Amino acid sequence: MSVTRISRPLAGLALAGCLLLMLLHPASSLDAALRGLAVWWDVLLPSLFPFFVISEVMLGLGVVHLFGTLLDPLMRPLFSIPGSGGFVAAMGYVSGYPVGAKLTAKLREQKLITRVEGERLVAFTTSSDPIFLLGAVSVGFFHDASLGLILAVSHYGSGLLIGLLMSLHGRKEAATPDVGPADGPDGQAGGRLRAALRAMSDARRRDGRTLGELLGGAVQSSLQLIIVVGGLVVFFNVLMVLLAKAGILSALYALGGRALAAVGFPPELSSAFVSGFFEVTFGTRSAGEAAMTIPLQFKAAAAAFILSWGGLSVHAQVASILNGTGMRYLPFMLARLLHAFLAAGALLLLWKPFAHWGVAPAAAYLPAFSPASPAQGIAASLALLGLLLGIALILTPLALWIGKIRASLR
């Protein structure tokens, strides 16, 4: 009997059980749904929707193709993906989940990347946005801005390491050539810039839509996606309440506590890990509000683990985006799990050095996102996007120079 034939009846039974619990606890289900809707309306809609629209418009204008040509010498040797993946990585890290998955699906739809390249790309560009990590988690949940930098280094640094490791993924299926410097004049900075401008112009001509049509289409497709995101957030909010009412969460807390104790972690953090398995906001909040007797580094490591795993809510969002693209969900899930362990381990390893150096908190340099200041959060994210793309463009000539040296030695 195949896995599909077994999983479908089990999924049907699980959903039937959820429906029965909703009938038994209608008031609690309604309250959970309203809380999830409030999170979507107050936080996710104003923070994600503008980036959905902006990224769609930039793709139609050919800006992604421009950066793709410019960043190709950097992205292919490091991550075995085309240069357009550099733009996706910057947008994903700045905007948070699931923007990286959305842009990866768009590149796949336009046949700018292969299936394997898409799986590599989405695996390391799905991350928390800095405003949530620094503002909500460090300041809001932990009430300690000094945690911002070590959380950011652990989360994003291990994410880049996942990108390097994922370059090995699918080598047997579709090997991506290790591209060195371009032949001819395009290998020079000026020639590459001309090639990038040509790629942008060609992409704009192929799209053919007016700016008004492009903006209208971007708004329409972005609304569809943000509604899917909101529906999944509401669903998982209700699901967690129903699991609590049924006593399943308590059993999972007890099981998680024993597993944590076995690896030397405080068992009191089991509620954070279990909640974060389902939803990242609940898990990081639970980690921040854990007992004061728990050493701070363990609570911060739990938050790093949860931020990197993303929660089943984010996994469901990404799976819905990948549906129909040919890209598989399993490599993404395994990469998220590995990212979670690497981020938690990196935070514990860096804890004493960071405390010894007394590095200033990164949260001091970015405004905390709050429902009252969405424009401020978007402005900070756009500034960070420009910074990341600028750094990547500065590193590209270095990659070209290294490629020339490698070519001369062959």
Side-chain angles (χ1 to χ4, degrees):
M1 185 177 292
S2 66
V3 176
T4 304
R5 292 181 63 184
I6 297 174
S7 61
R8 286 180 178 175
L10 289 177
L13 288 173
L15 291 174
C18 289
L19 181 59
L20 178 61
L21 288 172
M22 287 180 66
L23 294 175
L24 294 174
H25 306 283
S28 300
S29 300
L30 180 60
D31 288 342
L34 291 175
R35 286 196 302 272
L37 188 61
V39 169
W40 175 76
W41 179 259
D42 292 335
V43 179
L44 297 179
L45 180 62
S47 62
L48 288 181
F49 181 72
F51 282 98
F52 287 166
V53 176
I54 290 170
S55 60
E56 190 96 10
V57 171
M58 293 178 82
L59 192 62
L61 291 176
V63 176
V64 177
H65 301 74
L66 170 74
F67 281 101
T69 304
L70 292 175
L71 298 178
D72 201 70
L74 179 66
M75 299 304 293
R76 282 195 186 274
L78 289 178
F79 305 109
S80 296
I81 55 177
S84 54
F87 180 84
V88 174
M91 286 291 291
Y93 279 19
V94 167
S95 313
Y97 11 69
V99 173
K102 177 184 182 293
L103 279 174
T104 302
K106 282 292 180 182
L107 295 185
R108 176 71 177 137
E109 181 183 310
Q110 296 190 6
K111 295 182 172 55
L112 296 176
I113 54 175
T114 65
R115 185 192 72 175
V116 170
E117 289 169 344
E119 290 172 353
R120 293 171 185 160
L121 184 57
V122 75
F124 83 98
T125 58
T126 303
S127 67
S128 169
D129 65 277
I131 305 300
F132 177 74
L133 185 149
L134 300 175
V137 177
S138 300
V139 178
F141 300 158
F142 280 85
H143 309 290
D144 187 352
S146 64
L147 288 177
L149 184 60
I150 190 170
L151 274 175
V153 170
S154 302
H155 179 63
Y156 297 115
S158 57
L160 290 175
L161 181 57
I162 290 295
L164 296 174
L165 293 174
M166 285 298 294
S167 66
L168 304 175
H169 165 66
R171 283 286 178 91
K172 294 181 179 179
E173 298 179 47
T176 303
D178 185 4
V179 177
D183 295 329
D186 283 352
Q188 306 298 322
R192 184 161 292 278
L193 180 59
R194 288 193 295 272
L197 292 173
R198 285 198 304 270
M200 179 179 176
S201 177
D202 292 343
R204 182 74 191 99
R205 187 172 58 253
R206 285 195 303 270
D207 187 276
R209 290 176 291 176
T210 65
L211 184 59
E213 292 172 338
L214 190 60
L215 184 60
V219 170
Q220 184 178 5
S221 64
S222 299
L223 275 174
Q224 292 175 346
L225 180 56
I226 199 68
I227 289 173
V228 171
V229 170
L232 289 169
V233 169
V234 170
F235 171 77
F236 277 95
N237 270 267
V238 174
L239 177 62
M240 290 195 65
V241 168
L242 295 178
L243 292 177
K245 292 291 183 181
I248 297 175
L249 274 187
S250 299
L252 291 176
Y253 291 161
L255 183 63
R258 287 195 291 271
L260 290 175
V263 296
F265 250 72
E268 295 86 356
L269 285 173
S270 63
S271 60
F273 279 99
V274 171
S275 299
F277 175 78
F278 292 99
E279 214 284 319
V280 64
T281 306
F282 292 157
T284 50
R285 180 187 289 120
S286 180
E289 295 173 351
M292 296 293 292
T293 55
I294 302 174
L296 182 58
Q297 64 264 37
F298 288 112
K299 295 197 287 186
F305 184 99
I306 294 162
L307 285 166
S308 302
W309 164 251
L312 287 185
S313 177
V314 170
H315 283 240
Q317 295 168 29
V318 172
S320 68
I321 293 171
L322 298 184
N323 184 38
T325 65
M327 292 183 285
R328 295 163 294 187
Y329 164 73
L330 183 60
F332 169 80
M333 186 197 73
L334 294 177
R336 291 297 90 226
L337 190 60
L338 180 58
H339 187 189
F341 282 105
L342 287 176
L347 188 139
L348 292 174
L349 287 174
L350 294 172
W351 186 262
K352 286 187 177 180
F354 269 62
H356 177 71
W357 294 333
V359 183
Y365 302 104
L366 279 177
F369 178 82
S370 67
S373 60
Q376 189 182 31
I378 293 171
S381 296
L382 288 175
L384 184 58
L385 173 64
L387 176 63
L388 291 176
L389 290 174
I391 292 173
L393 290 174
I394 291 171
L395 291 175
T396 299
L398 178 61
L400 279 169
W401 179 68
I402 294 174
K404 287 181 180 180
I405 294 177
R406 290 172 59 189
S408 65
L409 294 176
R410 288 172 182 172

